[in-house]
Amino acid sequence: MSFDPGMLHNNGHTAYANGTGPGIRETGLVEKLLTSYGFIQCSERQARLFFHCSQYNGNLQELKIGDDVEFEVSSDRRTGKPIAVKLLKIKPEVLPEERISGQVGPDLHAYPFTVLHGYIHPVVSSIPVHLDGKSAPGQAPTGSVCYERNGEVFYLTYTPDDVEGNIHLDTGDKVSFYMDTNKQHFSTGAVSARNIQLVKKKQMRCQGVVCATKEAFGFIERADVVKEIFFHYSEFKGDLEALQAGDDVEFTIKDRNGKEVATEVRLLPQGTVIFEDISIEQFEGTVVKVIPKVPTKNQNDPLPGRISSRIGFNDKELPFGEKDTKSKVTLLEGDHIQFNISTDRRDKLERATNIDILPDTFDFTKETREMGVIAAIRDGFGFIKCVDRDARMFFHFSEVLEESQLHISDEVEFTVVPVGPVYKLFTKDMLSAQRNHAVRIKKLPKGSVSFNTQSEQRFMGVVEKEVVATNAKNASPTKVKEKEAEEGVIAYEDCGVKLTVPYHNKDIEGGGYPQAGDKVEFSINEVKRTGLQSAVSVRVLNRNASNAKRLIGFVATLKDNFGFIETANHDQEIFFHYSEMCGDLENLELGDTVEYTLSKGKGNKVSAEKVTKVAAVNGISEDVEATVMMGKVIRPLRSVDPSQTEYQGLIEITEEGATKGPNYPFGIMGMSNKADGLQKGELVKFHVCTVAQTGQKMASNVVPQRRAMVECVKDQFGFITYEVGESKKLFFHVKEVQDGLELQTGDEVEFSVVLNQRTGKCSACNVRRVSEGPKPVATPRPDRLVNRLKSITLDDASAPRLVIVRQPRGPDNSKGFNVERKTRQPGVID
């Protein structure tokens, strides 16, 4: 059946609520009809209008009580009251039986009808929940639905009984219904909705998390479905500057151009939106598929990893993504791991999260583990010196297991994997040198890593070739490398097979370096990385009789490029050049025992060669007299005074200042402090001893007796009034003052004089204060300043002002004072 728009116009609600506009047609019901007049009950308002039968347009005999009429409202000329004129009988309407689509609209009594063009924005119009099924006595609770015809919107009332399925409707719900005349209000002829069915619920406010922000728009991950939705910044209600990815928001979904967009976006407190529930219980499983380091072009799975686990009585395979691991340590297939299960509230998808590698995982994987030592550490990465590889291995801090703090020389265990594009973060040179990198790094206890293996068996052999001595002091870097490559060779037999093995000076034990033909004992060391063997712990057993005689001496002088050796008889010194030194020259000090061979150079000058530091021996025989002698230096060592021809120094006995004989010579080994440069005329204490080889009596344990006054003390150094050579004052550093005392000018001190043999300059060391000097007297204030302070008052604007630059602290490190400080009045004593 077709729908008659005119019928709807006549029986619906017009655009005017009061019906008083000029020329406005209204409808009503004939309530009373007499011979020449009657009364009409208005349909659109509570009014009862008089009409005269002459105003009826039609056959008056056909007009009956209850007929629907249409009329205009005018006023009686005599009384001014409103009356109905131009009456026209309305034909009985036939309601359509088709189902009409609409939505729950605004309250009927508040808005009789509203004409809207385009999209319908309904207002609250559903039956209130507290009235659903209940109402005042004699009145049923009502709501309204609206629908559109020919650009006009019409509203119909409904009651809970008119809704099918006994459901509650909300404002904005999409519905379908039939139109029916309200039998209970037949006198008004009103039309209501019946057989109402819910088509679609109104979209409520949604929640989500901002997952991306662009220049003028962003995207929200919805909390109700696994989907992202677009929003424009103009729809954000708040401070746009504070909006960032990860913020919780709520919004309304609307259709625009056929696409869903988020509108009226507002911030929510952090933690409001929860996408997933994480299990409290932890599970164990095995990694069956790892996340590829370099994603493929066709990889769209956000959870590409897989973990197999037995949960309950069932075997499950759970996916996981990059963010589900506790650390950035590389996972490998077969890893034994621990994890929680996360369940998405939206689609109930389960995945593994909080994945952590268990300590016993290396028992399950088939990876090859290597060992090494941390060689270098940079900002975020480092390098490992490998036991089994030549090149140093790159590693990133994120690959360290158990969050251990690594330091240089730490011993570690790791797995080597090919380098991937993800690590191309450094220089081109570094990438070309490092084709692999270390992952899954585990710190090991000290002593776990060894680069070499040493044989327990001791071998014996004969030196076939000596180590070529070299010293870095006077050789160019190129020559040093060439000479360092030259090593000694030992010939030996093993199971009847004649073999040779190289050795180096650093691997020699005991005193003296082996020479060609010497019989030695040694162990064999093998480098794990290369398999190269060398002799270590080399010890000389027997010297070859054909070798030149080796002599023992003591280092007496060390200069820039050369030095002198005191002979075993302590009466001469032998020159040697640093190039003849076998071993580390940096460890050579005055008084060290050395072994050497004499040789003659140009002009028959004797010098020492093949100088080797050996274990210390007694410099002078132990036949030392107990008596402490007093004496004065009448001749220093030649290292102190190079102009003299004799090497030995000379001390004569003194008693209370008077010269008493005899004289006793001394050498570097007779000095208590080998670095002390005894000067001519200095008083000393010493013992007398006898040299076993020659029977000569010499001074030993010589200790100088020096006392002088401190001339001045500056910041970190000072000077002592003491004549050394041509200088009349002696330099000292405050670090040389014993007991940490602060010396003042005039203090009397004892000290030793140290001669820097390379510079030839003397300085004081082991400075000890004997007595304090006179205390300095404070200079009194000038009278003009005293008088000025006496005349100052608090009101004097020109008086000096005090400015607090640091608040005082108490013994307990608290600030300020416990007692409030008061301003002191001049001349008043508290």
Side-chain angles (χ1 to χ4, degrees):
M1 178 182 294
S2 62
F3 187 80
D4 185 3
M7 179 272 296
L8 287 176
H9 174 72
N10 293 333
N11 291 282
H13 306 297
T14 65
Y16 296 90
N18 53 18
T20 59
I24 300 300
R25 304 288 288 178
E26 287 192 37
T27 59
L29 188 71
V30 177
E31 183 184 57
K32 188 175 182 180
L33 183 60
L34 300 177
T35 304
S36 58
Y37 66 93
F39 291 91
I40 298 173
Q41 176 66 45
C42 297
S43 298
E44 289 83 8
R45 54 196 178 98
Q46 297 294 326
R48 189 169 180 266
L49 299 179
F50 168 86
F51 74 94
H52 195 273
C53 290
S54 61
Q55 293 294 323
Y56 176 70
N57 184 10
N59 186 358
L60 190 60
Q61 299 298 326
E62 297 177 358
L63 187 63
K64 299 178 181 179
I65 295 175
D67 287 344
D68 292 327
V69 293
E70 188 182 50
F71 56 90
E72 291 182 7
V73 179
S74 182
S75 57
D76 190 290
R77 295 179 180 178
R78 292 177 298 174
T79 62
K81 293 182 179 181
I83 59 174
V85 297
K86 300 181 181 179
L87 276 71
L88 182 65
K89 184 178 178 180
I90 300 174
K91 296 180 180 180
E93 61 184 356
V94 179
L95 295 178
E97 287 300 324
E98 67 175 332
R99 181 169 287 275
I100 301 172
S101 296
Q103 67 183 33
V104 180
D107 189 358
L108 173 65
H109 300 292
Y111 301 90
F113 70 88
T114 304
V115 179
L116 299 177
H117 298 280
Y119 190 77
I120 300 175
H121 297 270
V123 294
V124 177
S125 58
S126 61
I127 299 175
V129 176
H130 66 282
L131 293 180
D132 199 354
K134 299 179 181 180
S135 61
Q139 181 182 359
T142 60
S144 65
V145 295
C146 61
Y147 66 98
E148 185 263 341
R149 277 291 185 270
N150 298 329
E152 293 184 274
V153 179
F154 301 92
Y155 292 83
L156 304 177
T157 61
Y158 76 96
T159 64
D161 295 335
D162 295 321
V163 181
E164 294 183 356
N166 194 25
I167 60 174
H168 177 79
L169 298 178
D170 296 313
T171 301
D173 288 348
K174 302 293 184 182
V175 295
S176 66
F177 56 90
Y178 290 108
M179 294 176 59
D180 192 12
T181 301
N182 192 330
K183 303 302 180 182
Q184 296 181 7
H185 297 84
F186 182 80
S187 60
T188 64
V191 178
S192 63
R194 63 178 175 85
N195 300 106
I196 301 174
Q197 294 179 352
L198 176 64
V199 176
K200 182 180 179 181
K201 293 290 290 183
K202 175 192 173 183
Q203 181 66 51
M204 306 299 290
R205 293 283 284 175
C206 297
Q207 294 181 343
V209 175
V210 178
C211 57
T213 55
K214 305 297 182 181
E215 186 174 349
F217 59 91
F219 292 90
I220 300 171
E221 184 178 0
R222 292 170 57 174
D224 54 341
V225 293
V226 183
K227 187 178 181 181
E228 292 181 2
I229 188 169
F230 168 91
F231 76 98
H232 194 273
Y233 286 167
S234 60
E235 293 291 343
F236 181 68
K237 311 301 181 184
D239 183 10
L240 192 58
E241 297 294 331
L243 184 66
Q244 58 185 357
D247 285 344
D248 293 352
V249 293
E250 66 172 0
F251 55 92
T252 301
I253 298 177
K254 291 186 178 179
D255 290 329
R256 289 184 180 172
N257 298 327
K259 294 183 178 180
E260 289 185 336
V261 297
T263 61
E264 300 180 23
V265 182
R266 300 181 186 276
L267 278 177
L268 292 174
Q270 283 296 106
T272 302
V273 180
I274 300 176
F275 290 113
E276 56 195 10
D277 298 313
I278 298 177
S279 66
I280 299 176
E281 182 182 359
Q282 288 189 319
F283 304 90
E284 293 185 8
T286 303
V287 177
V288 295
K289 182 181 178 183
V290 297
I291 301 173
K293 288 288 185 182
V294 184
T296 60
K297 294 182 179 179
N298 299 326
Q299 180 181 324
N300 297 320
D301 188 0
L303 303 172
R306 294 293 183 271
I307 289 174
S308 175
S309 178
R310 187 168 185 81
I311 301 174
F313 298 99
N314 299 320
D315 291 330
K316 273 193 175 183
E317 188 172 277
L318 299 171
F320 69 93
E322 289 185 359
K323 297 181 179 179
D324 291 318
T325 55
K326 276 190 174 182
S327 65
K328 298 297 182 182
V329 176
T330 301
L331 286 177
L332 298 179
E333 290 184 5
D335 267 336
H336 188 207
I337 50 93
Q338 180 177 268
F339 62 95
N340 298 93
I341 295 179
S342 171
T343 305
D344 197 307
R345 292 183 174 183
R346 298 166 292 183
D347 58 0
K348 306 304 179 185
L349 173 67
E350 289 185 339
R351 78 174 198 279
T353 190
N354 296 332
I355 300 171
D356 198 13
I357 298 176
L358 292 174
D360 62 349
T361 186
F362 303 113
D363 299 333
F364 293 83
T365 59
K366 298 179 181 180
E367 60 190 302
T368 301
R369 301 288 284 174
E370 298 187 17
M371 292 192 292
V373 174
I374 303 297
I377 290 179
R378 302 287 186 267
D379 186 13
F381 63 96
F383 294 91
I384 300 173
K385 181 182 178 183
C386 304
V387 171
D388 302 319
R389 298 173 184 260
D390 292 331
R392 296 193 305 175
M393 191 65 59
F394 168 86
F395 75 93
H396 198 274
F397 284 175
S398 61
E399 291 289 348
V400 180
L401 292 169
E402 301 173 359
E403 299 181 357
S404 303
Q405 186 69 30
L406 293 182
H407 303 87
I408 292 178
S409 78
D410 280 349
E411 300 176 12
V412 292
E413 182 185 65
F414 55 92
T415 302
V416 177
V417 297
V419 70
V422 70
Y423 282 96
K424 292 184 179 179
L425 307 174
F426 309 100
T427 64
K428 186 176 180 181
D429 294 339
M430 185 181 298
L431 277 175
S432 62
Q434 296 293 332
R435 297 183 179 180
N436 298 310
H437 62 255
V439 298
R440 302 158 66 86
I441 300 168
K442 180 181 179 182
K443 189 174 180 180
L444 298 175
K446 286 291 183 183
S448 302
V449 178
S450 175
F451 290 86
N452 308 297
T453 57
Q454 184 171 327
S455 65
E456 296 181 359
Q457 179 184 356
R458 296 286 286 176
F459 297 88
M460 287 192 294
V462 177
V463 176
E464 191 175 273
K465 178 184 175 183
E466 299 178 25
V467 175
V468 177
T470 183
N471 191 275
K473 286 283 184 180
N474 301 303
S476 65
T478 305
K479 291 182 179 179
V480 170
K481 291 180 180 179
E482 291 175 355
K483 289 189 176 182
E484 285 179 350
E486 297 183 19
E487 52 198 5
V489 177
I490 299 174
Y492 71 104
E493 286 189 6
D494 185 18
C495 300
V497 180
K498 292 184 178 180
L499 302 170
T500 59
V501 64
Y503 75 96
H504 301 85
N505 277 339
K506 62 182 180 64
D507 297 317
I508 297 173
E509 294 182 351
Y513 282 75
Q515 298 183 28
D518 289 349
K519 187 176 181 180
V520 294
E521 184 185 41
F522 60 93
S523 299
I524 294 180
N525 179 77
E526 182 176 327
V527 180
K528 291 182 178 180
R529 183 178 69 254
T530 60
L532 295 178
Q533 293 183 340
S534 63
V536 296
S537 303
V538 181
R539 184 183 297 274
V540 178
L541 297 179
N542 294 314
R543 291 286 185 183
N544 186 6
S546 62
N547 287 336
K549 185 178 180 180
R550 300 285 286 174
L551 302 176
I552 296 294
F554 312 95
V555 178
T557 306
L558 293 172
K559 299 291 186 181
D560 285 337
N561 302 316
F562 61 92
F564 289 91
I565 298 173
E566 182 181 284
T567 61
N569 295 334
H570 313 289
D571 56 353
Q572 293 182 6
E573 62 179 357
I574 306 297
F575 170 87
F576 76 97
H577 195 272
Y578 288 167
S579 60
E580 293 293 338
M581 182 66 195
C582 300
D584 188 5
L585 183 63
E586 298 297 330
N587 295 328
L588 195 62
E589 297 179 356
L590 292 176
D592 283 348
T593 305
V594 293
E595 190 180 56
Y596 63 96
T597 303
L598 288 178
S599 67
K600 289 186 178 181
K602 294 180 180 180
N604 288 330
K605 291 184 178 181
V606 178
S607 63
E609 64 180 16
K610 297 182 181 180
V611 181
T612 304
K613 183 178 177 180
V614 296
V617 297
N618 291 329
I620 298 179
S621 171
E622 295 181 358
D623 185 11
V624 179
E625 298 179 5
T627 305
V628 178
M629 311 292 288
M630 298 293 296
K632 183 172 76 171
V633 178
I634 59 176
R635 185 178 71 205
L637 291 173
R638 189 159 63 183
S639 60
V640 177
D641 184 6
S643 61
Q644 66 188 34
T645 57
E646 298 84 356
Y647 162 70
Q648 291 178 319
L650 200 61
I651 299 174
E652 65 178 2
I653 300 295
T654 61
E655 185 177 349
E656 296 181 359
T659 301
K660 298 286 184 180
N663 299 335
Y664 293 97
F666 68 94
I668 190 69
M669 299 305 294
M671 302 279 295
S672 179
N673 180 5
K674 306 297 186 292
D676 203 336
L678 287 177
Q679 305 293 317
K680 183 178 179 179
E682 287 189 321
L683 298 177
V684 294
K685 291 191 299 184
F686 64 97
H687 294 84
V688 176
C689 67
T690 303
V691 180
Q693 294 89 334
T694 62
Q696 182 184 16
K697 289 187 178 294
M698 297 185 66
S700 67
N701 299 329
V702 180
V703 179
Q705 302 295 301
R706 302 187 184 97
R707 284 196 180 188
M709 309 296 289
V710 177
E711 181 178 282
C712 65
V713 178
K714 297 189 178 179
D715 185 20
Q716 294 294 322
F717 61 93
F719 292 92
I720 299 172
T721 305
Y722 189 78
E723 185 174 349
V724 179
E726 298 180 356
S727 177
K728 294 187 178 181
K729 56 184 178 180
L730 186 64
F731 170 89
F732 73 92
H733 197 278
V734 294
K735 292 182 179 178
E736 296 291 343
V737 181
Q738 295 182 1
D739 300 328
L741 299 176
E742 293 185 7
L743 297 181
Q744 303 291 334
T745 302
D747 289 349
E748 186 178 14
V749 293
E750 287 184 349
F751 54 92
S752 299
V753 176
V754 178
L755 173 64
N756 188 325
Q757 299 200 20
R758 289 184 172 84
T759 63
K761 295 182 179 181
C762 294
S763 61
C765 67
N766 300 326
V767 181
R768 184 175 65 86
R769 185 168 67 185
V770 178
S771 62
E772 296 187 31
K775 296 293 184 182
V777 180
T779 306
R781 289 175 178 266
D783 292 340
R784 58 184 179 81
L785 292 180
V786 175
N787 295 332
R788 170 64 175 159
L789 292 174
K790 288 181 179 180
S791 62
I792 290 178
T793 64
L794 293 176
D795 298 331
D796 188 356
S798 63
R801 299 294 180 186
L802 295 178
V803 178
I804 299 175
V805 295
R806 184 179 68 245
Q807 288 288 350
R809 291 181 181 269
D812 58 349
N813 207 31
S814 59
K815 293 183 179 180
F817 295 91
N818 293 331
V819 182
E820 181 181 358
R821 304 189 72 184
K822 299 180 180 179
T823 305
R824 180 181 177 278
Q825 299 297 326
V828 177
I829 299 177
D830 295 336

